[in-house]
Amino acid sequence: MDYLLVVLLQIAGAVGNLALVSVGLAVIFGMMRVINLAHGEFIMLGGFAAIFSVQAGINIWLAMLVIAPLSVAVLGVLVERLVMRRLYGRMVDTMLASWGLSLLLIGLATTFFGNRVVGVAAPVGSFRIGEYSLGAYDFVLAGIALVVFAAGYAILRFTRVGLVARATMQNREMASSLGIEPSRVYAVTFAIGSALSGLAGGLLAPISGVLPTMGVAYVAKAFITVITGGASVITGTALSSTLLGSINTVSTFITTPVLGDVALLLAATIFLRLLPTGITGRIFKGAP
Amino acid sequence: MTLSTFCRASGTHVALAAVAMLAAIVIFPKVAPLYTLINVTLYMSMGVFALSLALLWGYGGILCFGQSAFFGLGAYAYAIAAINFGDTTLASAFAIGIPALFAAGLGYFLFYGRLSDVYLGVITLTVTLILFKLINSTGGDAWRIGEARLGGFNGIPNTPLLTMPFTGIPLSPANLFTLACIALFATYALCKRLITTRFGRAVIAVRENEVRAELLGYNARRLKLAIFVISAGIAGLAGLLFANSVFVSPTMFSLSMAAQVLIWVVVGGLGTLFGPVAACFALQIAAAALGKLGLIDPNIVLGLVLVVFVVFVPGGIQPALAALLARILTPPRGSPGHMREEAAR
């Protein structure tokens, strides 16, 4: 009984983790059809921002929840202005340029921060269920993921900003002829997406530590979660992270962490063959 | 450019490449130190790798993010077969055959499922990551195929060197260099020839407009699958050469390997063959020099090069140079040379 509960809680933790890692990419991809392969490096920089702030004596929650997202958002605005803006409509080129950016950021981070893991202690301890001990921080993450997704859903569904965003997603020509400037919407979207990546990085820093090359591991997972989710940014990502996170945790329990990751990737590949437009391409169509 | 002039030009290119190859084989091993010789052999194997993606992406229009999967598979297939059979000639056939077979299975799944560009990229990337993770986790005695231990992230350091068929004498570095030269040239000539055949032109037609090609009666899915398999075979050959100049390790499957080959094709020029090979050599030499200096992380340079090329030189070096050359060589309007050319047309 306790064991089952522990497995379920682990699954919740893994789902929250995957959802947080993917949501930044989902916002950018869903809105702009731009695949940001530098997403993993945005996460990495969010992590560094959080850790350096903590080392400078700033409160860890402030560092993770405010400083990390803000600093990566600033970077996102720069990247959008300097590179992405020139490539809209050329999907393959944006992919390539963002890959170049990812290499560049890895190189810069290695040069300035060193090729080693830096970490910070998690701000909350662990709790016990029967004879098992679980880290409480995983559930803080899952809780934050829940808040982010609920807020995202509410904003997209019920506010004017959300309406503008959904309109641009559905039909950018129509939206722009109704007086919405797509380039501004894109700039804001990219900044928000980057901020969410930074948030994920900041929150992951106490768990995984931060390393210049850590992004590679996240970008593929995030990429796959988003594509499996399909057209709806919030609903799709939530559903696919639940599905893939569960598969990952269960197979990790049965076998090894590496085979758990392999199972995640394999499941996503098979899923895409069955539902080529993602989960929300078939069911929950039109949800934000 | 009409087809006949294209074929003639293509013939000239192949002839020029043959001369360059012969010159390299005769002169280079005599003048270069051993270290350089081995390094250049390595670059040649990478050149073959660059050609595999240049063909697939440039002419087939299929952007494969996981070309390194075939590269690594070829090398592993070679090493495992060579250790088990003790004969490297048959193992070399495995190095080309196994990736091609794998590509046939994967490609069937991709093209007959009619997956579009982005999904194609995602799935090829995923497959590469799966292989990378799997191979990395094969440390220990439990993971072996026949006699060969897979070795996890250490790879297979005792990768057997190619031997002469029948005699079993291992090839010297100079022999290997010659072999790599021939392989690079042969691959180049094969690709050049392939794109002028009926099959090659049908593949290009599918790249240009898949629907139109299908309406004209071409089986686009089969053509894509075919070019995918050929490209995987070439990547496997590259892996074989790479395995012989270094050794087999999981980094061959890594994302940075997959990124490198994309960068060469982008920099060299999409839709060209010579460009990517030249870019491959230039960037490898630059990366090695930078690595030796240790002043700047090679990733910074690779990343900057990729971003700058995608944004500012989207056609790549070869078309940009060709345009420049054409502008210099073309006589100005109204000059006698120009009039003569006009009359000839």
PDB file of all heavy atoms in Angstrom, chain B residues 262-299:
ATOM      1  N   LEU B 262      25.342  18.785 -39.886  1.00  0.00           N
ATOM      2  CA  LEU B 262      24.376  19.773 -40.382  1.00  0.00           C
ATOM      3  C   LEU B 262      25.079  21.087 -40.691  1.00  0.00           C
ATOM      4  O   LEU B 262      24.813  21.730 -41.702  1.00  0.00           O
ATOM      5  CB  LEU B 262      23.328  20.039 -39.310  1.00  0.00           C
ATOM      6  CG  LEU B 262      22.119  19.136 -39.275  1.00  0.00           C
ATOM      7  CD1 LEU B 262      21.310  19.425 -38.036  1.00  0.00           C
ATOM      8  CD2 LEU B 262      21.272  19.370 -40.496  1.00  0.00           C
ATOM      9  N   ILE B 263      25.990  21.464 -39.786  1.00  0.00           N
ATOM     10  CA  ILE B 263      26.688  22.738 -39.957  1.00  0.00           C
ATOM     11  C   ILE B 263      27.511  22.712 -41.245  1.00  0.00           C
ATOM     12  O   ILE B 263      27.515  23.668 -42.019  1.00  0.00           O
ATOM     13  CB  ILE B 263      27.580  23.023 -38.734  1.00  0.00           C
ATOM     14  CG1 ILE B 263      26.696  23.291 -37.521  1.00  0.00           C
ATOM     15  CG2 ILE B 263      28.493  24.193 -38.987  1.00  0.00           C
ATOM     16  CD1 ILE B 263      27.442  23.377 -36.221  1.00  0.00           C
ATOM     17  N   TRP B 264      28.179  21.589 -41.495  1.00  0.00           N
ATOM     18  CA  TRP B 264      28.984  21.516 -42.724  1.00  0.00           C
ATOM     19  C   TRP B 264      28.115  21.721 -43.952  1.00  0.00           C
ATOM     20  O   TRP B 264      28.490  22.424 -44.880  1.00  0.00           O
ATOM     21  CB  TRP B 264      29.685  20.153 -42.833  1.00  0.00           C
ATOM     22  CG  TRP B 264      30.621  19.871 -41.726  1.00  0.00           C
ATOM     23  CD1 TRP B 264      31.312  20.812 -41.005  1.00  0.00           C
ATOM     24  CD2 TRP B 264      30.961  18.599 -41.178  1.00  0.00           C
ATOM     25  NE1 TRP B 264      32.056  20.186 -40.046  1.00  0.00           N
ATOM     26  CE2 TRP B 264      31.870  18.839 -40.131  1.00  0.00           C
ATOM     27  CE3 TRP B 264      30.608  17.297 -41.483  1.00  0.00           C
ATOM     28  CZ2 TRP B 264      32.418  17.810 -39.375  1.00  0.00           C
ATOM     29  CZ3 TRP B 264      31.151  16.273 -40.742  1.00  0.00           C
ATOM     30  CH2 TRP B 264      32.038  16.528 -39.695  1.00  0.00           C
ATOM     31  N   VAL B 265      26.935  21.092 -43.948  1.00  0.00           N
ATOM     32  CA  VAL B 265      26.079  21.204 -45.131  1.00  0.00           C
ATOM     33  C   VAL B 265      25.548  22.629 -45.263  1.00  0.00           C
ATOM     34  O   VAL B 265      25.523  23.190 -46.364  1.00  0.00           O
ATOM     35  CB  VAL B 265      24.930  20.174 -45.069  1.00  0.00           C
ATOM     36  CG1 VAL B 265      23.996  20.359 -46.242  1.00  0.00           C
ATOM     37  CG2 VAL B 265      25.484  18.763 -45.074  1.00  0.00           C
ATOM     38  N   VAL B 266      25.165  23.234 -44.132  1.00  0.00           N
ATOM     39  CA  VAL B 266      24.655  24.603 -44.191  1.00  0.00           C
ATOM     40  C   VAL B 266      25.748  25.553 -44.680  1.00  0.00           C
ATOM     41  O   VAL B 266      25.530  26.391 -45.558  1.00  0.00           O
ATOM     42  CB  VAL B 266      24.155  25.060 -42.804  1.00  0.00           C
ATOM     43  CG1 VAL B 266      23.885  26.554 -42.796  1.00  0.00           C
ATOM     44  CG2 VAL B 266      22.913  24.302 -42.420  1.00  0.00           C
ATOM     45  N   VAL B 267      26.937  25.415 -44.124  1.00  0.00           N
ATOM     46  CA  VAL B 267      28.028  26.315 -44.477  1.00  0.00           C
ATOM     47  C   VAL B 267      28.470  26.068 -45.916  1.00  0.00           C
ATOM     48  O   VAL B 267      28.696  26.996 -46.682  1.00  0.00           O
ATOM     49  CB  VAL B 267      29.210  26.138 -43.503  1.00  0.00           C
ATOM     50  CG1 VAL B 267      30.422  26.899 -43.984  1.00  0.00           C
ATOM     51  CG2 VAL B 267      28.811  26.609 -42.125  1.00  0.00           C
ATOM     52  N   GLY B 268      28.568  24.798 -46.300  1.00  0.00           N
ATOM     53  CA  GLY B 268      29.035  24.492 -47.643  1.00  0.00           C
ATOM     54  C   GLY B 268      28.022  24.868 -48.710  1.00  0.00           C
ATOM     55  O   GLY B 268      28.388  25.231 -49.820  1.00  0.00           O
ATOM     56  N   GLY B 269      26.774  24.796 -48.368  1.00  0.00           N
ATOM     57  CA  GLY B 269      25.734  25.149 -49.331  1.00  0.00           C
ATOM     58  C   GLY B 269      24.807  23.978 -49.553  1.00  0.00           C
ATOM     59  O   GLY B 269      25.238  22.917 -50.006  1.00  0.00           O
ATOM     60  N   LEU B 270      23.545  24.195 -49.227  1.00  0.00           N
ATOM     61  CA  LEU B 270      22.548  23.146 -49.398  1.00  0.00           C
ATOM     62  C   LEU B 270      22.298  22.938 -50.883  1.00  0.00           C
ATOM     63  O   LEU B 270      22.131  23.895 -51.622  1.00  0.00           O
ATOM     64  CB  LEU B 270      21.261  23.576 -48.700  1.00  0.00           C
ATOM     65  CG  LEU B 270      20.188  22.525 -48.550  1.00  0.00           C
ATOM     66  CD1 LEU B 270      20.709  21.361 -47.759  1.00  0.00           C
ATOM     67  CD2 LEU B 270      18.981  23.125 -47.855  1.00  0.00           C
ATOM     68  N   GLY B 271      22.301  21.691 -51.323  1.00  0.00           N
ATOM     69  CA  GLY B 271      22.093  21.422 -52.735  1.00  0.00           C
ATOM     70  C   GLY B 271      23.394  21.408 -53.515  1.00  0.00           C
ATOM     71  O   GLY B 271      23.401  21.496 -54.731  1.00  0.00           O
ATOM     72  N   THR B 272      24.520  21.313 -52.800  1.00  0.00           N
ATOM     73  CA  THR B 272      25.805  21.145 -53.463  1.00  0.00           C
ATOM     74  C   THR B 272      26.494  19.953 -52.796  1.00  0.00           C
ATOM     75  O   THR B 272      26.106  19.532 -51.718  1.00  0.00           O
ATOM     76  CB  THR B 272      26.700  22.385 -53.296  1.00  0.00           C
ATOM     77  OG1 THR B 272      27.023  22.504 -51.905  1.00  0.00           O
ATOM     78  CG2 THR B 272      26.006  23.635 -53.761  1.00  0.00           C
ATOM     79  N   LEU B 273      27.512  19.429 -53.468  1.00  0.00           N
ATOM     80  CA  LEU B 273      28.244  18.297 -52.893  1.00  0.00           C
ATOM     81  C   LEU B 273      29.652  18.697 -52.478  1.00  0.00           C
ATOM     82  O   LEU B 273      30.142  18.309 -51.424  1.00  0.00           O
ATOM     83  CB  LEU B 273      28.310  17.139 -53.891  1.00  0.00           C
ATOM     84  CG  LEU B 273      26.979  16.458 -54.179  1.00  0.00           C
ATOM     85  CD1 LEU B 273      27.117  15.487 -55.324  1.00  0.00           C
ATOM     86  CD2 LEU B 273      26.468  15.738 -52.947  1.00  0.00           C
ATOM     87  N   PHE B 274      30.295  19.497 -53.330  1.00  0.00           N
ATOM     88  CA  PHE B 274      31.661  19.872 -53.022  1.00  0.00           C
ATOM     89  C   PHE B 274      31.701  20.784 -51.792  1.00  0.00           C
ATOM     90  O   PHE B 274      32.560  20.636 -50.926  1.00  0.00           O
ATOM     91  CB  PHE B 274      32.305  20.558 -54.228  1.00  0.00           C
ATOM     92  CG  PHE B 274      33.701  21.023 -53.952  1.00  0.00           C
ATOM     93  CD1 PHE B 274      34.732  20.112 -53.847  1.00  0.00           C
ATOM     94  CD2 PHE B 274      33.971  22.369 -53.765  1.00  0.00           C
ATOM     95  CE1 PHE B 274      36.014  20.535 -53.562  1.00  0.00           C
ATOM     96  CE2 PHE B 274      35.251  22.798 -53.480  1.00  0.00           C
ATOM     97  CZ  PHE B 274      36.275  21.880 -53.384  1.00  0.00           C
ATOM     98  N   GLY B 275      30.743  21.711 -51.740  1.00  0.00           N
ATOM     99  CA  GLY B 275      30.705  22.689 -50.652  1.00  0.00           C
ATOM    100  C   GLY B 275      30.763  22.062 -49.269  1.00  0.00           C
ATOM    101  O   GLY B 275      31.631  22.403 -48.454  1.00  0.00           O
ATOM    102  N   PRO B 276      29.851  21.111 -48.953  1.00  0.00           N
ATOM    103  CA  PRO B 276      29.875  20.508 -47.629  1.00  0.00           C
ATOM    104  C   PRO B 276      31.194  19.817 -47.296  1.00  0.00           C
ATOM    105  O   PRO B 276      31.659  19.892 -46.152  1.00  0.00           O
ATOM    106  CB  PRO B 276      28.737  19.492 -47.696  1.00  0.00           C
ATOM    107  CG  PRO B 276      27.793  20.064 -48.675  1.00  0.00           C
ATOM    108  CD  PRO B 276      28.643  20.739 -49.703  1.00  0.00           C
ATOM    109  N   VAL B 277      31.815  19.168 -48.284  1.00  0.00           N
ATOM    110  CA  VAL B 277      33.092  18.500 -48.011  1.00  0.00           C
ATOM    111  C   VAL B 277      34.157  19.547 -47.678  1.00  0.00           C
ATOM    112  O   VAL B 277      34.916  19.409 -46.708  1.00  0.00           O
ATOM    113  CB  VAL B 277      33.531  17.641 -49.209  1.00  0.00           C
ATOM    114  CG1 VAL B 277      34.885  17.015 -48.930  1.00  0.00           C
ATOM    115  CG2 VAL B 277      32.501  16.576 -49.497  1.00  0.00           C
ATOM    116  N   ALA B 278      34.173  20.620 -48.477  1.00  0.00           N
ATOM    117  CA  ALA B 278      35.150  21.688 -48.236  1.00  0.00           C
ATOM    118  C   ALA B 278      34.910  22.303 -46.866  1.00  0.00           C
ATOM    119  O   ALA B 278      35.852  22.527 -46.091  1.00  0.00           O
ATOM    120  CB  ALA B 278      35.036  22.749 -49.330  1.00  0.00           C
ATOM    121  N   ALA B 279      33.636  22.557 -46.549  1.00  0.00           N
ATOM    122  CA  ALA B 279      33.302  23.157 -45.257  1.00  0.00           C
ATOM    123  C   ALA B 279      33.716  22.230 -44.123  1.00  0.00           C
ATOM    124  O   ALA B 279      34.216  22.681 -43.084  1.00  0.00           O
ATOM    125  CB  ALA B 279      31.802  23.439 -45.173  1.00  0.00           C
ATOM    126  N   CYS B 280      33.516  20.940 -44.337  1.00  0.00           N
ATOM    127  CA  CYS B 280      33.892  19.956 -43.327  1.00  0.00           C
ATOM    128  C   CYS B 280      35.381  20.042 -43.039  1.00  0.00           C
ATOM    129  O   CYS B 280      35.804  20.127 -41.875  1.00  0.00           O
ATOM    130  CB  CYS B 280      33.496  18.574 -43.829  1.00  0.00           C
ATOM    131  SG  CYS B 280      34.343  17.207 -43.067  1.00  0.00           S
ATOM    132  N   PHE B 281      36.195  20.058 -44.084  1.00  0.00           N
ATOM    133  CA  PHE B 281      37.643  20.143 -43.892  1.00  0.00           C
ATOM    134  C   PHE B 281      38.022  21.443 -43.197  1.00  0.00           C
ATOM    135  O   PHE B 281      38.760  21.446 -42.216  1.00  0.00           O
ATOM    136  CB  PHE B 281      38.359  20.051 -45.249  1.00  0.00           C
ATOM    137  CG  PHE B 281      38.634  18.640 -45.663  1.00  0.00           C
ATOM    138  CD1 PHE B 281      37.603  17.835 -46.133  1.00  0.00           C
ATOM    139  CD2 PHE B 281      39.903  18.107 -45.568  1.00  0.00           C
ATOM    140  CE1 PHE B 281      37.847  16.524 -46.497  1.00  0.00           C
ATOM    141  CE2 PHE B 281      40.154  16.790 -45.928  1.00  0.00           C
ATOM    142  CZ  PHE B 281      39.123  16.011 -46.403  1.00  0.00           C
ATOM    143  N   ALA B 282      37.479  22.543 -43.724  1.00  0.00           N
ATOM    144  CA  ALA B 282      37.858  23.857 -43.193  1.00  0.00           C
ATOM    145  C   ALA B 282      37.485  23.966 -41.716  1.00  0.00           C
ATOM    146  O   ALA B 282      38.306  24.379 -40.886  1.00  0.00           O
ATOM    147  CB  ALA B 282      37.167  24.963 -43.994  1.00  0.00           C
ATOM    148  N   LEU B 283      36.265  23.559 -41.386  1.00  0.00           N
ATOM    149  CA  LEU B 283      35.813  23.720 -40.001  1.00  0.00           C
ATOM    150  C   LEU B 283      36.543  22.778 -39.047  1.00  0.00           C
ATOM    151  O   LEU B 283      36.829  23.131 -37.907  1.00  0.00           O
ATOM    152  CB  LEU B 283      34.306  23.510 -39.908  1.00  0.00           C
ATOM    153  CG  LEU B 283      33.479  24.657 -40.495  1.00  0.00           C
ATOM    154  CD1 LEU B 283      32.005  24.340 -40.461  1.00  0.00           C
ATOM    155  CD2 LEU B 283      33.753  25.939 -39.728  1.00  0.00           C
ATOM    156  N   GLN B 284      36.871  21.570 -39.538  1.00  0.00           N
ATOM    157  CA  GLN B 284      37.601  20.637 -38.669  1.00  0.00           C
ATOM    158  C   GLN B 284      38.992  21.158 -38.381  1.00  0.00           C
ATOM    159  O   GLN B 284      39.477  21.064 -37.245  1.00  0.00           O
ATOM    160  CB  GLN B 284      37.733  19.285 -39.363  1.00  0.00           C
ATOM    161  CG  GLN B 284      36.421  18.652 -39.595  1.00  0.00           C
ATOM    162  CD  GLN B 284      36.376  17.320 -38.893  1.00  0.00           C
ATOM    163  OE1 GLN B 284      36.619  17.254 -37.691  1.00  0.00           O
ATOM    164  NE2 GLN B 284      36.084  16.295 -39.616  1.00  0.00           N
ATOM    165  N   ILE B 285      39.625  21.664 -39.439  1.00  0.00           N
ATOM    166  CA  ILE B 285      40.974  22.198 -39.237  1.00  0.00           C
ATOM    167  C   ILE B 285      40.914  23.379 -38.279  1.00  0.00           C
ATOM    168  O   ILE B 285      41.722  23.490 -37.344  1.00  0.00           O
ATOM    169  CB  ILE B 285      41.589  22.602 -40.596  1.00  0.00           C
ATOM    170  CG1 ILE B 285      41.849  21.342 -41.424  1.00  0.00           C
ATOM    171  CG2 ILE B 285      42.876  23.395 -40.403  1.00  0.00           C
ATOM    172  CD1 ILE B 285      42.203  21.596 -42.856  1.00  0.00           C
ATOM    173  N   ALA B 286      39.908  24.248 -38.498  1.00  0.00           N
ATOM    174  CA  ALA B 286      39.759  25.413 -37.627  1.00  0.00           C
ATOM    175  C   ALA B 286      39.514  24.967 -36.186  1.00  0.00           C
ATOM    176  O   ALA B 286      40.136  25.488 -35.254  1.00  0.00           O
ATOM    177  CB  ALA B 286      38.603  26.281 -38.115  1.00  0.00           C
ATOM    178  N   ALA B 287      38.635  23.963 -36.017  1.00  0.00           N
ATOM    179  CA  ALA B 287      38.309  23.515 -34.660  1.00  0.00           C
ATOM    180  C   ALA B 287      39.536  22.916 -33.986  1.00  0.00           C
ATOM    181  O   ALA B 287      39.798  23.173 -32.808  1.00  0.00           O
ATOM    182  CB  ALA B 287      37.176  22.501 -34.704  1.00  0.00           C
ATOM    183  N   ALA B 288      40.321  22.141 -34.759  1.00  0.00           N
ATOM    184  CA  ALA B 288      41.521  21.531 -34.187  1.00  0.00           C
ATOM    185  C   ALA B 288      42.513  22.609 -33.769  1.00  0.00           C
ATOM    186  O   ALA B 288      43.108  22.546 -32.682  1.00  0.00           O
ATOM    187  CB  ALA B 288      42.152  20.586 -35.200  1.00  0.00           C
ATOM    188  N   ALA B 289      42.671  23.621 -34.647  1.00  0.00           N
ATOM    189  CA  ALA B 289      43.614  24.694 -34.341  1.00  0.00           C
ATOM    190  C   ALA B 289      43.160  25.448 -33.095  1.00  0.00           C
ATOM    191  O   ALA B 289      43.967  25.755 -32.203  1.00  0.00           O
ATOM    192  CB  ALA B 289      43.719  25.644 -35.531  1.00  0.00           C
ATOM    193  N   LEU B 290      41.863  25.723 -33.011  1.00  0.00           N
ATOM    194  CA  LEU B 290      41.341  26.452 -31.857  1.00  0.00           C
ATOM    195  C   LEU B 290      41.498  25.634 -30.587  1.00  0.00           C
ATOM    196  O   LEU B 290      41.839  26.160 -29.530  1.00  0.00           O
ATOM    197  CB  LEU B 290      39.867  26.773 -32.068  1.00  0.00           C
ATOM    198  CG  LEU B 290      39.578  27.916 -33.027  1.00  0.00           C
ATOM    199  CD1 LEU B 290      38.114  27.975 -33.355  1.00  0.00           C
ATOM    200  CD2 LEU B 290      40.040  29.224 -32.407  1.00  0.00           C
ATOM    201  N   GLY B 291      41.224  24.310 -30.747  1.00  0.00           N
ATOM    202  CA  GLY B 291      41.351  23.438 -29.586  1.00  0.00           C
ATOM    203  C   GLY B 291      42.775  23.437 -29.060  1.00  0.00           C
ATOM    204  O   GLY B 291      43.013  23.428 -27.856  1.00  0.00           O
ATOM    205  N   LYS B 292      43.737  23.469 -30.009  1.00  0.00           N
ATOM    206  CA  LYS B 292      45.145  23.442 -29.617  1.00  0.00           C
ATOM    207  C   LYS B 292      45.518  24.737 -28.913  1.00  0.00           C
ATOM    208  O   LYS B 292      46.221  24.739 -27.914  1.00  0.00           O
ATOM    209  CB  LYS B 292      46.012  23.251 -30.875  1.00  0.00           C
ATOM    210  CG  LYS B 292      47.213  22.358 -30.627  1.00  0.00           C
ATOM    211  CD  LYS B 292      48.040  22.175 -31.888  1.00  0.00           C
ATOM    212  CE  LYS B 292      47.412  21.231 -32.895  1.00  0.00           C
ATOM    213  NZ  LYS B 292      48.106  21.222 -34.186  1.00  0.00           N
ATOM    214  N   LEU B 293      44.988  25.862 -29.451  1.00  0.00           N
ATOM    215  CA  LEU B 293      45.283  27.142 -28.828  1.00  0.00           C
ATOM    216  C   LEU B 293      44.654  27.223 -27.441  1.00  0.00           C
ATOM    217  O   LEU B 293      45.236  27.798 -26.529  1.00  0.00           O
ATOM    218  CB  LEU B 293      44.724  28.277 -29.691  1.00  0.00           C
ATOM    219  CG  LEU B 293      45.549  28.658 -30.914  1.00  0.00           C
ATOM    220  CD1 LEU B 293      44.843  29.733 -31.702  1.00  0.00           C
ATOM    221  CD2 LEU B 293      46.929  29.136 -30.485  1.00  0.00           C
ATOM    222  N   GLY B 294      43.438  26.634 -27.326  1.00  0.00           N
ATOM    223  CA  GLY B 294      42.776  26.627 -26.036  1.00  0.00           C
ATOM    224  C   GLY B 294      42.277  27.987 -25.597  1.00  0.00           C
ATOM    225  O   GLY B 294      41.915  28.180 -24.449  1.00  0.00           O
ATOM    226  N   LEU B 295      42.284  28.969 -26.530  1.00  0.00           N
ATOM    227  CA  LEU B 295      41.847  30.310 -26.157  1.00  0.00           C
ATOM    228  C   LEU B 295      40.331  30.383 -26.047  1.00  0.00           C
ATOM    229  O   LEU B 295      39.777  31.040 -25.193  1.00  0.00           O
ATOM    230  CB  LEU B 295      42.306  31.320 -27.215  1.00  0.00           C
ATOM    231  CG  LEU B 295      43.766  31.715 -27.171  1.00  0.00           C
ATOM    232  CD1 LEU B 295      44.081  32.655 -28.316  1.00  0.00           C
ATOM    233  CD2 LEU B 295      44.072  32.384 -25.839  1.00  0.00           C
ATOM    234  N   ILE B 296      39.670  29.638 -26.955  1.00  0.00           N
ATOM    235  CA  ILE B 296      38.242  29.835 -27.082  1.00  0.00           C
ATOM    236  C   ILE B 296      37.600  28.467 -27.262  1.00  0.00           C
ATOM    237  O   ILE B 296      38.170  27.587 -27.897  1.00  0.00           O
ATOM    238  CB  ILE B 296      37.955  30.791 -28.272  1.00  0.00           C
ATOM    239  CG1 ILE B 296      36.490  31.160 -28.362  1.00  0.00           C
ATOM    240  CG2 ILE B 296      38.423  30.219 -29.575  1.00  0.00           C
ATOM    241  CD1 ILE B 296      36.259  32.311 -29.326  1.00  0.00           C
ATOM    242  N   ASP B 297      36.453  28.300 -26.669  1.00  0.00           N
ATOM    243  CA  ASP B 297      35.755  27.015 -26.740  1.00  0.00           C
ATOM    244  C   ASP B 297      35.278  26.761 -28.175  1.00  0.00           C
ATOM    245  O   ASP B 297      34.674  27.644 -28.779  1.00  0.00           O
ATOM    246  CB  ASP B 297      34.556  27.085 -25.789  1.00  0.00           C
ATOM    247  CG  ASP B 297      33.958  25.726 -25.554  1.00  0.00           C
ATOM    248  OD1 ASP B 297      33.210  25.266 -26.425  1.00  0.00           O
ATOM    249  OD2 ASP B 297      34.253  25.145 -24.518  1.00  0.00           O
ATOM    250  N   PRO B 298      35.577  25.574 -28.736  1.00  0.00           N
ATOM    251  CA  PRO B 298      35.178  25.317 -30.138  1.00  0.00           C
ATOM    252  C   PRO B 298      33.675  25.460 -30.355  1.00  0.00           C
ATOM    253  O   PRO B 298      33.244  25.868 -31.440  1.00  0.00           O
ATOM    254  CB  PRO B 298      35.603  23.866 -30.368  1.00  0.00           C
ATOM    255  CG  PRO B 298      36.592  23.563 -29.324  1.00  0.00           C
ATOM    256  CD  PRO B 298      36.322  24.453 -28.169  1.00  0.00           C
ATOM    257  N   ASN B 299      32.872  25.149 -29.321  1.00  0.00           N
ATOM    258  CA  ASN B 299      31.426  25.295 -29.455  1.00  0.00           C
ATOM    259  C   ASN B 299      31.017  26.721 -29.808  1.00  0.00           C
ATOM    260  O   ASN B 299      30.065  26.935 -30.551  1.00  0.00           O
ATOM    261  CB  ASN B 299      30.734  24.909 -28.150  1.00  0.00           C
ATOM    262  CG  ASN B 299      30.508  23.415 -28.086  1.00  0.00           C
ATOM    263  OD1 ASN B 299      30.343  22.768 -29.110  1.00  0.00           O
ATOM    264  ND2 ASN B 299      30.503  22.880 -26.890  1.00  0.00           N
TER     265      ASN B 299
END
